[in-house]
Every structure is written in structure tokens, then in C-alpha cells.
Amino acid sequence: MPGSSAPVAPEAPPTGIVRSVRGAVVDVRFPEAGLPALDTALVIEADPAIVVEVHEHLDDATARCVALVSTAGLARGTTARATGRPVEVPVGEAV
């Protein structure tokens, strides 16, 4: 159909690699132009999964994050996936 455009698929959240772990501080390296925004939640694909929040951009490709649970056993090289959303906590009667 002339003049119509195909729907654009939403862009997948960026995926990075854990570069360093120092207690609750985790540095995650992302591909160029893939750095998630500050206050974005990342899910590190460990067993069990670890949720971290982007606290600071160290450079154009590295995010310094704060873990919300223990990082014991977390290894460098583990995949981290940006959620594109901030950390969410349930509140109210349902809790």
C-alpha cells in the first residue's frame, strides 16, 4: 500500500557483560550506544538472578551499578540485561 509503513518492532534492551564485582558495586560493560539510563534496573543472569540499579556512567560503555541482593559467587563475564525500567517495589495492601 503506497504511503504506509511497516510497524517498527521495539528495540531490544541492551545486553552487557559484568566486568568487576566489589561487594555490592558491579561494573557492567555494554556495546557502544547501548548504555542504559541512570536508575535503570538490570538483571544479571546468575543463579539466582541478581537485580542491580545503574548508579553512574563511568564512560561511554560502562555502567556502575548497585546490587540489591548479595553478589556472593557472581563472576566476571556474566551476562547482564537492561530492563528499560526502574527498579519497582510492590506497596500497599497486596504486600
Side-chain angles (χ1 to χ4, degrees):
M1 189 182 265
S4 68
S5 61
V8 177
E11 194 172 307
T15 300
I17 302 294
V18 172
R19 288 296 174 207
S20 69
V21 180
R22 292 174 312 285
V25 178
V26 180
D27 291 345
V28 181
R29 185 137 181 105
F30 288 87
E32 290 188 34
L35 198 59
L38 296 177
D39 300 325
T40 298
L42 309 180
V43 177
I44 298 176
E45 297 172 356
D47 186 25
I50 297 173
V51 176
V52 299
E53 180 180 56
V54 177
H55 177 69
E56 178 182 7
H57 294 154
L58 298 179
D59 56 37
D60 290 341
T62 308
R64 177 152 289 162
C65 306
V66 176
L68 303 180
V69 296
S70 173
T71 58
L74 179 59
R76 290 181 297 160
T78 305
T79 302
R81 180 179 41 82
T83 63
R85 301 181 52 84
V87 172
E88 296 177 344
V89 179
V91 296
E93 298 291 324
V95 176

